[in-house]
Amino acid sequence: RRAADSEYLTACFSEIHRHNRWGSAESASGPGSELAATAEVRRGLPPLLREFGVRTVLDAPCGDFHWMKELDLPVERYIGADVVAEIIERNRGRYAAANREFLVADLDSERSLRAAESSGSLDGKPHGRLVRYRRALRARRECLEWPAR
């Protein structure tokens, strides 16, 4: 993806966040991140992470961390990434811990991945594995939600 696309995406989502364009009174990340909307995922995610033996979670985009803060994840490390710097700064102030970090990154952008790697937030080998874990977990969740036939 071109740098201009990444900059446009950052500006767009920063505007959405700044003016609560998603319109949720509960979460700056929108109604899909409200507690009622994430109840099933919150129940299912920790056992799924244990089943897969996941040690590190890369949550991108992490948004405002509204529903994730409710979880006691059975992992050694959580990395939340988002293109909106204001969200990341707020998340760092409220939720950062020894095993939980937040970084500004567009993980669809190779430039962002290289910047995250060079800062030490991601090292070269695991980030690809983390992205694949996230895709696998999402695919598995979608399969679990597929209507029985």
Side-chain angles (χ1 to χ4, degrees), residues 59-71:
D59 181 12
C62 66
D64 65 0
F65 199 65
H66 178 69
W67 65 272
M68 288 291 284
K69 76 180 184 319
E70 302 296 322
L71 296 177

Side-chain angles (χ1 to χ4, degrees), residues 13-63:
F13 282 102
S14 293
E15 174 74 11
I16 288 168
H17 167 70
R18 207 171 288 120
H19 298 286
N20 192 23
R21 300 278 190 221
W22 297 127
S24 170
E26 187 178 313
S27 171
S29 296
S33 292
E34 293 176 359
L35 296 180
T38 59
E40 189 173 334
V41 173
R42 286 184 288 118
R43 276 191 303 277
L45 187 58
L48 192 57
L49 294 172
R50 278 190 287 279
E51 179 185 333
F52 276 93
V54 175
R55 295 188 337 224
T56 302
V57 169
L58 174 60
D59 181 12
C62 66

Side-chain angles (χ1 to χ4, degrees), residues 89-110:
E89 286 305 314
R90 195 185 82 209
N91 288 351
R92 285 176 181 158
R94 291 182 178 178
Y95 309 115
N99 66 339
R100 187 183 306 138
E101 67 181 292
F102 296 92
L103 58 103
V104 177
D106 173 3
L107 295 189
D108 287 334
S109 161
E110 284 300 315

